[in-house]
Amino acid sequence: MEKTFYSSDYLPERTLLKERYEICNELNQTGDRIIYEGKDRILRIEVIIQEFYPVELVYRFGENLRIDAYKGRTEKLCIRRERFCKEAKVLERFKKLDGLVTPIDFFEANNTAYTIMRHLGETITLGKLSKIMREYKMIDVIVLLECLLPVMNGIAALHRAGIIHCGIKPDRIIILNDSTMKLLLDTGTLRKFSIKDTSLSVIFDQHYAPLEVYSTKGELGPWTDIYALCATIYYYLSGDNPVEVIERISGKKLKNLSEYNTSVFPELENVILKGMSVDIKDRYQSMEEFCEALYGVANEIRDFN
């Protein structure tokens, strides 16, 4: 049967992948992937399907992807697809950790590749979280740190394996309705900090990015994730994006967290701001060191109260 040319980048609803995963609807197209909601017909669960689809390099013909030969980017496409596949296989190693959201399946088909994640159901969006913060003026710092502990344990496990997330920010942390927090692991952000590869650029959110990610020669390591995590905690406790590191170098200062949130004691704020130091050597060098300082202070505050 002759293939149909799709005018849309998206696969049509009811497309079946691997004779198992049914496309229900598209969610969005971001970076080099298309994200769909779908169903696993075997396990009878809802899933999130991610399709490798660098729109500037390919077009869709039927279900298959074809390379835009006129742009002469075949080699670039192969390198990026190989990286997508390698990272998807790496993520499977961490699927048993409660604080991380990882793929439950990965496969290649249609001249491209797919990852499948379990759909976690209704979550608290950043918009809803911001509304809660506006209504209640603050988030209790001790409660927040209890919810974040599985996420921090997950990040520490990544670091022990020689991997940094390199994309931590509030909208990468999923908050379920029971307040459980999970960090979304995804292809495209993970980096091996034991290997220098200056050919790889890092896509980042400037409010949550330390100085070293601005350069291909920047020294990435656990301290990179610690900065982003502390900036994320800063957001949760203040309701504001922190000042970008480039602006801080130019003299703009971070507002004290206690100005936003009276539950933040100075000792705790000092730990968070140390993790957001501009200079790498002034930050905590490992998640274990950071957690020891953070939860040590938090326990003292809890005991005092």
Side-chain angles (χ1 to χ4, degrees):
M1 185 172 68
E2 185 176 343
K3 288 282 188 181
T4 303
F5 177 80
Y6 297 152
S7 59
S8 170
D9 290 328
Y10 300 116
L11 286 169
E13 292 182 17
R14 305 189 71 177
T15 298
L16 195 61
L17 301 171
K18 203 181 176 182
E19 299 183 350
R20 173 174 183 172
Y21 302 110
E22 179 183 345
I23 300 288
C24 292
N25 62 277
E26 70 275 1
L27 289 177
N28 58 53
Q29 186 168 353
T30 177
D32 59 3
R33 70 207 60 208
I34 298 176
I35 303 173
Y36 307 90
E37 287 184 318
K39 296 177 182 177
D40 182 339
R41 288 187 173 182
I42 294 178
L43 296 181
R44 299 183 182 276
I45 59 173
E46 295 182 349
V47 295
I48 299 295
I49 301 168
Q50 296 193 49
E51 178 184 41
F52 176 71
Y53 192 96
V55 66
E56 76 278 13
L57 301 177
V58 300
Y59 63 93
R60 194 180 299 282
F61 190 83
E63 295 177 2
N64 294 326
L65 265 60
R66 290 191 175 179
I67 300 171
D68 190 342
Y70 295 105
K71 296 181 180 178
R73 296 179 178 175
T74 303
E75 183 179 358
K76 186 175 181 180
L77 175 69
C78 291
I79 291 171
R80 285 168 62 177
R81 184 168 60 197
E82 182 181 3
R83 179 172 178 79
F84 180 93
C85 294
K86 282 183 177 179
E87 289 190 354
K89 292 173 182 176
V90 167
L91 294 180
E92 290 182 331
R93 295 160 50 187
F94 304 99
K95 61 186 177 183
K96 293 184 179 180
L97 293 173
D98 291 337
L100 303 178
V101 182
T102 60
I104 58 174
D105 197 4
F106 161 77
F107 56 93
E108 297 181 62
N110 303 333
N111 294 333
T112 187
Y114 299 87
T115 61
I116 310 296
M117 292 186 172
R118 184 183 294 269
H119 199 305
L120 296 176
E122 187 175 352
T123 61
I124 298 175
T125 63
L126 279 183
K128 185 175 180 181
L129 181 64
S130 296
K131 183 179 179 182
I132 292 171
M133 286 191 285
R134 286 195 303 271
E135 289 177 355
Y136 295 96
K137 307 299 182 188
M138 66 183 69
I139 288 180
D140 184 87
V141 64
I142 300 301
V143 173
L144 173 66
L145 295 183
E146 288 175 352
C147 295
L148 274 174
L149 184 57
V151 171
M152 295 189 190
N153 288 337
I155 296 170
L158 289 177
H159 292 172
R160 287 193 294 272
I163 298 168
I164 52 173
H165 187 284
C166 219
I168 298 170
K169 56 182 179 176
D171 63 5
R172 304 297 291 175
I173 295 180
I174 296 171
I175 308 174
L176 304 181
N177 277 338
D178 63 357
S179 297
T180 301
M181 288 182 155
K182 294 177 181 288
L183 176 64
L184 181 62
L185 290 192
D186 203 355
T187 57
T189 62
L190 302 186
R191 295 289 181 269
K192 280 274 190 181
F193 64 80
S194 58
I195 300 174
K196 279 285 185 182
D197 189 344
T198 57
S199 67
L200 294 174
S201 60
V202 178
I203 300 173
F204 57 85
D205 186 316
Q206 293 173 330
H207 291 288
Y208 301 91
L211 190 61
E212 61 266 23
V213 305
Y214 282 79
S215 169
T216 55
K217 297 181 180 180
E219 187 179 357
L220 305 181
W223 46 85
T224 305
D225 283 345
I226 289 169
Y227 183 102
L229 179 61
C230 287
T232 298
I233 294 172
Y234 184 100
Y235 170 81
Y236 285 140
L237 294 175
S238 69
D240 274 353
N241 287 316
V243 177
E244 297 172 20
V245 70
I246 296 297
E247 293 182 333
R248 293 173 62 194
I249 291 172
S250 301
K252 191 170 183 179
K253 295 186 180 299
L254 283 170
K255 286 180 67 174
N256 291 329
L257 280 169
S258 53
E259 294 181 49
Y260 296 102
N261 191 329
T262 56
S263 74
V264 181
F265 285 73
E267 296 84 355
L268 196 62
E269 181 170 41
N270 290 339
V271 173
I272 295 167
L273 295 184
K274 177 178 170 67
M276 292 177 67
S277 296
V278 173
D279 197 316
I280 289 172
K281 62 178 178 291
D282 292 332
R283 287 179 229 150
Y284 299 99
Q285 298 298 293
S286 70
M287 277 300 297
E288 288 80 6
E289 182 188 6
F290 171 61
C291 286
E292 183 179 355
L294 186 68
Y295 288 97
V297 170
N299 288 335
E300 288 179 7
I301 293 171
R302 185 189 290 110
D303 293 343
F304 178 77
N305 291 335

